[in-house]
Amino acid sequence: MSRRAVLTTVGAVPVAAAAGTLLGATGASAAPATINVSAQRQTIKGYGAMAHAAWIGDLTASQRETAFGTGEGRLGFSILRIPVGESSADFGRDLATAKRAVELGVTVFASPWNPPASMIETFTRGSQTNAKRLRYSSYAAYAQHLNDFTTYMRNNGVPLYSISVQNEPDYAHDWTWWTTTEMVRFLKENAGSISTRVMAPESFQYVKSMSDPILNDAAALANVDIIGAHLYGTSYSNFPYPLFKQKGAGKELWMTEVYYPNSNANSGDAWPEALDVGEHIHRAMVDAEFQAYVWWYLRRSYGPMREDGQISKRGAMMAHFARFVRPGYTRIDATANPASNVYVSAYRGGDTVVIVAVNKNTSSVSQQFTLSGATASGSVSNWLTDASRTVAPQNALTMSNGSLTVTLPARSIMTFVTSVNGTTPPTTPPPTTPTPTPTVTPPAGGTGPRVAYTMNSWGTGFTASIDITNTGTSAINGWTLAFTLPSGQSITSGWGATYSPSSGQVSARNVDYNATIAPGATINVGFQATTSGSTAEPTAFTLNGVACTVV
């Protein structure tokens, strides 16, 4: 079955059903949408798409700037997905695009479709007599293959953020099948040797029976950093993942491939169908609480970039998020559905607040936004996409005493960006069990923790995302991460830790909700900073006085 067939048979939400009852031709008023700038949810890693030179050709130099630049007329993508070559001869196919992406501050990760041919055996799976799977005797060699690709990319200027075990192991008619038992076994026995973050299982339809066994197996989970999922035909009712919230502490949750609602030729500019993409992203962020949203082919007639390199209407939906909700921002509480067919989400990075509003109604809607937890007055930048405009900057609006009322045009998406002051510290939902009183202890066994530092810069500012992994065999109860910021860099705000001082030799100390780092667990902290021009990164980190391994 093609994915298009799957979309029509396994639970895709029909456009008419998803749209609900539309308002009439006259405008209407929605209930106020409250934005709580202090109620922090997931940390956003970014938005992006797949490049696959072997199948559809590489992006041109100009198209790379359109994809990863953040200015007007750009998509603002901060994530790039590339394939893992099946042999070392294929490793460099997507290197040029990946290198330019990294130079522009983009996070790059990779997914394999097949292991090297020498590691594959065929078997009969139902009516498929030539199904492929990885030989168990080749598990260690396959882990080394993933490491070899990681090393090749790193040595050529592309430090992979993560690598996946397998693309769509449960929809592998044309590539390699994996059962949940095989996936868990590989993760337990072999994934620990991989030198970057590990992603699994990338189920084609967010099938929880593929990822539940990973979350329920402590040894397998310890060797996974990111639960990856695809959303082909996944109904909105299946977006939430309670088991991940229960057992995924310290792990990330990414949506790593989709096209929506179809892959019809030239549907990238279909209107108002493109608004379905806007709602889909909204629900992926709000209902599913994904940290990343990654489209299938970046340049395609049904994708965010048309074959001529211009941004499509579907691309505009993504740009309304990607250009303004930058890596390291956090989603904050907002009234998600203040009126029928109106969808609102909000994000915060330091003192910047971003609101994205989708109006799928056939008439305009008067929408009030009210900020709580901060003082906000002043100019509000805003951008609009509707039938005739594409991420078009609009005249600045004015927020007064934390309140802004706007007219959302019929069938449109708008992004609003403003600054707040007098903010209260972000809050995080309390853990389900009381956090023990922290005691500062070094990692067990003298094993240094692992730190990954990801920097995304622009002009005179940048955000830094820091992943701290406990590589020891016992919990770390209370921690202080120490590092030296290069000259000219100064922290203005942060999340997940308290930072002091703002420059020079910095100490980042845990907050209540992340004081304990379980063995094998990873937590994420970070900060926003200004710079006089230096984009250098700290070269060394210590956690509770123990030198860290920097990846």
Side-chain angles (χ1 to χ4, degrees):
M1 294 176 67
S2 68
R3 278 209 184 85
R4 192 174 303 166
V6 169
L7 284 171
T8 61
T9 59
V10 291
V13 179
V15 172
T21 302
L22 299 179
L23 291 175
T26 58
S29 295
T34 300
I35 315 296
N36 187 344
V37 301
S38 298
Q40 175 180 293
R41 300 304 169 189
Q42 76 268 32
T43 300
I44 304 301
K45 293 296 183 178
Y47 305 82
M50 176 93 190
H52 202 313
W55 290 357
I56 61 169
D58 202 359
L59 300 178
T60 67
S62 175
Q63 289 166 358
R64 293 167 193 151
E65 304 307 307
T66 299
F68 308 117
T70 57
E72 300 298 336
R74 303 289 192 260
L75 283 166
F77 283 176
S78 51
I79 293 178
L80 171 67
R81 184 183 185 223
I82 59 174
V84 177
E86 295 177 22
S87 73
S88 58
D90 302 326
F91 283 0
R93 283 177 173 168
D94 296 279
L95 182 60
T97 289
K99 285 187 68 173
R100 182 55 182 153
V102 168
E103 291 169 357
L104 293 172
V106 171
T107 294
V108 180
F109 77 101
S111 300
W113 269 247
N114 290 301
S118 61
M119 302 180 191
I120 291 174
E121 64 183 8
T122 59
F123 70 107
T124 298
R125 185 183 188 277
S127 62
Q128 186 179 3
T129 58
N130 63 341
K132 295 186 290 188
R133 67 185 173 203
L134 177 68
R135 291 190 183 93
Y136 174 63
S137 61
S138 296
Y139 276 24
Y142 181 55
Q144 184 58 52
H145 173 71
L146 298 180
N147 258 335
D148 290 345
F149 182 78
T150 300
T151 300
Y152 173 86
M153 297 303 290
R154 182 186 298 121
N155 289 345
N156 284 278
V158 181
L160 292 179
Y161 185 82
S162 69
I163 196 164
S164 175
V165 174
Q166 172 66 48
N167 170 75
E168 297 184 348
D170 53 341
Y171 188 74
H173 303 273
D174 298 317
W175 45 86
T176 303
W177 293 96
W178 290 66
T179 66
T180 54
T181 300
E182 291 165 346
M183 182 72 68
V184 167
R185 185 171 189 174
F186 178 83
L187 292 171
K188 291 169 66 172
E189 297 179 0
N190 303 99
S193 66
I194 297 173
S195 61
T196 190
R197 296 173 187 82
V198 174
M199 176 185 291
E202 288 203 281
S203 163
F204 88 105
Q205 202 182 29
Y206 205 9
V207 176
K208 306 301 197 299
S209 59
M210 285 297 299
S211 48
D212 282 357
I214 298 171
L215 292 167
N216 285 321
D217 189 300
L221 186 60
N223 288 333
V224 174
D225 302 281
I226 303 171
I227 297 296
H230 299 178
L231 292 179
Y232 290 106
T234 311
S235 65
Y236 290 146
S237 63
N238 286 332
F239 273 30
Y241 198 1
L243 186 64
F244 178 83
K245 299 190 80 169
Q246 177 187 350
K247 296 194 173 184
K251 309 300 178 181
E252 298 177 20
L253 185 64
W254 287 32
M255 197 291 292
T256 57
E257 185 186 314
V258 78
Y259 56 71
Y260 185 87
N262 54 53
S263 60
N264 298 335
N266 300 316
S267 61
D269 280 320
W271 191 266
E273 182 184 271
L275 283 172
D276 293 342
V277 177
E279 180 188 353
H280 196 259
I281 300 173
H282 165 89
R283 290 183 180 270
M285 297 291 104
V286 175
D287 298 351
E289 297 188 82
F290 285 118
Q291 296 174 263
Y293 186 98
V294 181
W295 194 265
W296 180 218
Y297 289 133
L298 198 160
R299 184 194 64 215
R300 208 62 172 167
S301 65
Y302 54 86
M305 181 186 291
R306 302 197 307 252
E307 297 290 356
D308 63 2
Q310 299 302 304
I311 295 175
S312 69
K313 287 294 191 182
R314 288 184 176 184
M317 298 302 108
M318 296 191 68
H320 271 276
F321 291 85
R323 275 183 54 192
F324 309 102
V325 182
R326 302 304 296 167
Y329 280 36
T330 56
R331 185 176 69 84
I332 53 180
D333 275 355
T335 304
N337 192 203
S340 177
N341 301 299
V342 175
Y343 304 94
V344 174
S345 61
Y347 310 84
R348 176 185 174 187
D351 288 340
T352 298
V353 170
V354 179
I355 303 169
V356 184
V358 180
N359 176 19
K360 295 181 70 177
N361 293 293
T362 58
S363 62
S364 62
V365 172
S366 177
Q367 181 64 62
Q368 180 184 12
F369 301 105
T370 302
L371 271 60
S372 66
T375 301
S377 294
S379 179
V380 180
S381 302
N382 60 106
W383 290 259
L384 167 68
T385 295
D386 59 9
S388 61
R389 292 166 285 193
T390 302
V391 203
Q394 305 297 294
N395 293 331
L397 303 171
T398 301
M399 179 171 287
S400 178
N401 295 321
S403 180
L404 172 71
T405 299
V406 300
T407 297
L408 304 177
R411 288 177 169 167
S412 70
I413 181 172
M414 294 192 73
T415 298
F416 306 90
V417 180
T418 190
S419 295
V420 296
N421 51 66
T423 58
T424 55
T427 60
T428 295
T432 55
T433 57
T435 301
T437 301
T439 57
V440 180
T441 57
T447 302
R450 186 170 69 238
V451 167
Y453 185 95
T454 304
M455 185 176 182
N456 290 280
S457 59
W458 65 90
T460 59
F462 68 92
T463 59
S465 178
I466 307 172
D467 287 334
I468 307 170
T469 301
N470 179 4
T471 58
T473 57
S474 62
I476 299 172
N477 293 308
W479 52 266
T480 298
L481 182 72
F483 56 92
T484 300
L485 276 180
S487 177
Q489 298 179 6
S490 180
I491 297 172
T492 56
S493 62
W495 64 89
T498 56
Y499 298 85
S500 180
S502 61
S503 60
Q505 293 182 335
V506 176
S507 292
R509 293 180 175 83
N510 66 265
V511 292
D512 288 345
Y513 68 85
N514 63 9
T516 298
I517 311 177
T522 300
I523 63 168
N524 175 264
V525 302
F527 57 84
Q528 185 166 331
T530 58
T531 176
S532 59
S534 170
T535 55
E537 300 181 359
T539 57
F541 298 82
T542 62
L543 192 80
N544 295 347
V546 177
C548 300
T549 299
V550 182
V551 297

mmCIF file of all heavy atoms in Angstrom, residues 259-278:
data_model
loop_
_atom_site.group_PDB
_atom_site.id
_atom_site.type_symbol
_atom_site.label_atom_id
_atom_site.label_comp_id
_atom_site.label_asym_id
_atom_site.label_seq_id
_atom_site.Cartn_x
_atom_site.Cartn_y
_atom_site.Cartn_z
ATOM 1 N N TYR A 259 3.541 13.966 5.726
ATOM 2 C CA TYR A 259 2.902 14.970 4.883
ATOM 3 C C TYR A 259 1.421 14.912 5.221
ATOM 4 O O TYR A 259 0.905 13.883 5.619
ATOM 5 C CB TYR A 259 3.160 14.768 3.385
ATOM 6 C CG TYR A 259 2.768 13.430 2.815
ATOM 7 C CD1 TYR A 259 1.436 13.059 2.650
ATOM 8 C CD2 TYR A 259 3.749 12.530 2.401
ATOM 9 C CE1 TYR A 259 1.085 11.837 2.113
ATOM 10 C CE2 TYR A 259 3.411 11.300 1.854
ATOM 11 C CZ TYR A 259 2.089 10.955 1.708
ATOM 12 O OH TYR A 259 1.743 9.749 1.172
ATOM 13 N N TYR A 260 0.753 16.041 5.074
ATOM 14 C CA TYR A 260 -0.628 16.121 5.530
ATOM 15 C C TYR A 260 -1.325 17.235 4.760
ATOM 16 O O TYR A 260 -0.729 18.293 4.555
ATOM 17 C CB TYR A 260 -0.669 16.413 7.038
ATOM 18 C CG TYR A 260 -2.060 16.402 7.632
ATOM 19 C CD1 TYR A 260 -2.628 15.220 8.074
ATOM 20 C CD2 TYR A 260 -2.799 17.574 7.732
ATOM 21 C CE1 TYR A 260 -3.906 15.203 8.600
ATOM 22 C CE2 TYR A 260 -4.080 17.565 8.258
ATOM 23 C CZ TYR A 260 -4.627 16.379 8.697
ATOM 24 O OH TYR A 260 -5.897 16.347 9.225
ATOM 25 N N PRO A 261 -2.557 17.032 4.307
ATOM 26 C CA PRO A 261 -3.390 15.842 4.459
ATOM 27 C C PRO A 261 -3.230 14.833 3.331
ATOM 28 O O PRO A 261 -3.865 13.786 3.347
ATOM 29 C CB PRO A 261 -4.805 16.426 4.455
ATOM 30 C CG PRO A 261 -4.696 17.623 3.558
ATOM 31 C CD PRO A 261 -3.325 18.188 3.790
ATOM 32 N N ASN A 262 -2.396 15.135 2.289
ATOM 33 C CA ASN A 262 -2.245 14.237 1.156
ATOM 34 C C ASN A 262 -0.941 14.565 0.445
ATOM 35 O O ASN A 262 -0.230 15.509 0.804
ATOM 36 C CB ASN A 262 -3.436 14.374 0.193
ATOM 37 C CG ASN A 262 -3.646 15.824 -0.231
ATOM 38 O OD1 ASN A 262 -2.728 16.480 -0.712
ATOM 39 N ND2 ASN A 262 -4.866 16.337 -0.047
ATOM 40 N N SER A 263 -0.623 13.779 -0.585
ATOM 41 C CA SER A 263 0.549 14.058 -1.410
ATOM 42 C C SER A 263 0.143 14.243 -2.864
ATOM 43 O O SER A 263 0.877 13.860 -3.779
ATOM 44 C CB SER A 263 1.573 12.921 -1.279
ATOM 45 O OG SER A 263 1.004 11.683 -1.697
ATOM 46 N N ASN A 264 -1.019 14.844 -3.081
ATOM 47 C CA ASN A 264 -1.487 15.091 -4.440
ATOM 48 C C ASN A 264 -0.530 16.041 -5.156
ATOM 49 O O ASN A 264 0.035 16.957 -4.545
ATOM 50 C CB ASN A 264 -2.886 15.694 -4.427
ATOM 51 C CG ASN A 264 -3.901 14.753 -3.810
ATOM 52 O OD1 ASN A 264 -3.716 13.543 -3.803
ATOM 53 N ND2 ASN A 264 -4.981 15.317 -3.282
ATOM 54 N N ALA A 265 -0.359 15.852 -6.444
ATOM 55 C CA ALA A 265 0.528 16.713 -7.219
ATOM 56 C C ALA A 265 0.114 18.175 -7.081
ATOM 57 O O ALA A 265 -1.064 18.516 -7.191
ATOM 58 C CB ALA A 265 0.514 16.300 -8.686
ATOM 59 N N ASN A 266 1.105 19.018 -6.808
ATOM 60 C CA ASN A 266 0.902 20.468 -6.701
ATOM 61 C C ASN A 266 -0.069 20.871 -5.597
ATOM 62 O O ASN A 266 -0.639 21.956 -5.632
ATOM 63 C CB ASN A 266 0.434 21.044 -8.052
ATOM 64 C CG ASN A 266 1.438 20.794 -9.148
ATOM 65 O OD1 ASN A 266 2.639 20.977 -8.948
ATOM 66 N ND2 ASN A 266 0.971 20.356 -10.302
ATOM 67 N N SER A 267 -0.240 20.005 -4.607
ATOM 68 C CA SER A 267 -1.139 20.365 -3.507
ATOM 69 C C SER A 267 -0.475 21.289 -2.484
ATOM 70 O O SER A 267 -1.130 21.747 -1.561
ATOM 71 C CB SER A 267 -1.645 19.100 -2.803
ATOM 72 O OG SER A 267 -0.568 18.356 -2.261
ATOM 73 N N GLY A 268 0.817 21.565 -2.664
ATOM 74 C CA GLY A 268 1.491 22.469 -1.739
ATOM 75 C C GLY A 268 0.838 23.834 -1.669
ATOM 76 O O GLY A 268 0.882 24.499 -0.637
ATOM 77 N N ASP A 269 0.222 24.260 -2.768
ATOM 78 C CA ASP A 269 -0.422 25.572 -2.808
ATOM 79 C C ASP A 269 -1.942 25.493 -2.774
ATOM 80 O O ASP A 269 -2.619 26.503 -2.970
ATOM 81 C CB ASP A 269 0.025 26.344 -4.055
ATOM 82 C CG ASP A 269 1.396 26.976 -3.871
ATOM 83 O OD1 ASP A 269 1.663 27.491 -2.768
ATOM 84 O OD2 ASP A 269 2.199 26.938 -4.815
ATOM 85 N N ALA A 270 -2.490 24.305 -2.541
ATOM 86 C CA ALA A 270 -3.950 24.185 -2.480
ATOM 87 C C ALA A 270 -4.492 25.002 -1.305
ATOM 88 O O ALA A 270 -3.994 24.903 -0.182
ATOM 89 C CB ALA A 270 -4.347 22.713 -2.335
ATOM 90 N N TRP A 271 -5.490 25.802 -1.584
ATOM 91 C CA TRP A 271 -6.063 26.689 -0.560
ATOM 92 C C TRP A 271 -7.581 26.574 -0.580
ATOM 93 O O TRP A 271 -8.162 26.522 -1.664
ATOM 94 C CB TRP A 271 -5.640 28.147 -0.831
ATOM 95 C CG TRP A 271 -5.981 29.052 0.317
ATOM 96 C CD1 TRP A 271 -7.104 29.811 0.467
ATOM 97 C CD2 TRP A 271 -5.203 29.250 1.495
ATOM 98 N NE1 TRP A 271 -7.081 30.480 1.663
ATOM 99 C CE2 TRP A 271 -5.919 30.157 2.321
ATOM 100 C CE3 TRP A 271 -3.983 28.764 1.947
ATOM 101 C CZ2 TRP A 271 -5.441 30.568 3.555
ATOM 102 C CZ3 TRP A 271 -3.504 29.181 3.173
ATOM 103 C CH2 TRP A 271 -4.235 30.073 3.960
ATOM 104 N N PRO A 272 -8.253 26.479 0.574
ATOM 105 C CA PRO A 272 -7.729 26.634 1.935
ATOM 106 C C PRO A 272 -7.193 25.344 2.566
ATOM 107 O O PRO A 272 -6.979 25.292 3.775
ATOM 108 C CB PRO A 272 -8.952 27.144 2.707
ATOM 109 C CG PRO A 272 -10.098 26.442 2.027
ATOM 110 C CD PRO A 272 -9.737 26.400 0.568
ATOM 111 N N GLU A 273 -6.978 24.304 1.734
ATOM 112 C CA GLU A 273 -6.506 23.033 2.275
ATOM 113 C C GLU A 273 -5.240 23.194 3.108
ATOM 114 O O GLU A 273 -5.041 22.482 4.090
ATOM 115 C CB GLU A 273 -6.248 22.056 1.131
ATOM 116 C CG GLU A 273 -5.804 20.678 1.560
ATOM 117 C CD GLU A 273 -5.462 19.786 0.373
ATOM 118 O OE1 GLU A 273 -6.386 19.111 -0.128
ATOM 119 O OE2 GLU A 273 -4.295 19.787 -0.058
ATOM 120 N N ALA A 274 -4.374 24.144 2.731
ATOM 121 C CA ALA A 274 -3.124 24.327 3.469
ATOM 122 C C ALA A 274 -3.369 24.634 4.945
ATOM 123 O O ALA A 274 -2.526 24.313 5.803
ATOM 124 C CB ALA A 274 -2.294 25.442 2.833
ATOM 125 N N LEU A 275 -4.514 25.237 5.261
ATOM 126 C CA LEU A 275 -4.801 25.538 6.665
ATOM 127 C C LEU A 275 -4.902 24.267 7.502
ATOM 128 O O LEU A 275 -4.710 24.308 8.726
ATOM 129 C CB LEU A 275 -6.091 26.345 6.787
ATOM 130 C CG LEU A 275 -5.981 27.832 6.430
ATOM 131 C CD1 LEU A 275 -7.356 28.465 6.397
ATOM 132 C CD2 LEU A 275 -5.070 28.560 7.415
ATOM 133 N N ASP A 276 -5.189 23.128 6.863
ATOM 134 C CA ASP A 276 -5.184 21.865 7.601
ATOM 135 C C ASP A 276 -3.797 21.576 8.160
ATOM 136 O O ASP A 276 -3.660 20.980 9.226
ATOM 137 C CB ASP A 276 -5.623 20.712 6.694
ATOM 138 C CG ASP A 276 -7.086 20.814 6.282
ATOM 139 O OD1 ASP A 276 -7.832 21.557 6.943
ATOM 140 O OD2 ASP A 276 -7.465 20.149 5.304
ATOM 141 N N VAL A 277 -2.756 21.985 7.428
ATOM 142 C CA VAL A 277 -1.390 21.817 7.922
ATOM 143 C C VAL A 277 -1.180 22.681 9.157
ATOM 144 O O VAL A 277 -0.559 22.264 10.139
ATOM 145 C CB VAL A 277 -0.366 22.160 6.829
ATOM 146 C CG1 VAL A 277 1.057 22.055 7.365
ATOM 147 C CG2 VAL A 277 -0.546 21.254 5.620
ATOM 148 N N GLY A 278 -1.705 23.919 9.126
ATOM 149 C CA GLY A 278 -1.579 24.783 10.299
ATOM 150 C C GLY A 278 -2.208 24.169 11.527
ATOM 151 O O GLY A 278 -1.634 24.186 12.618
#
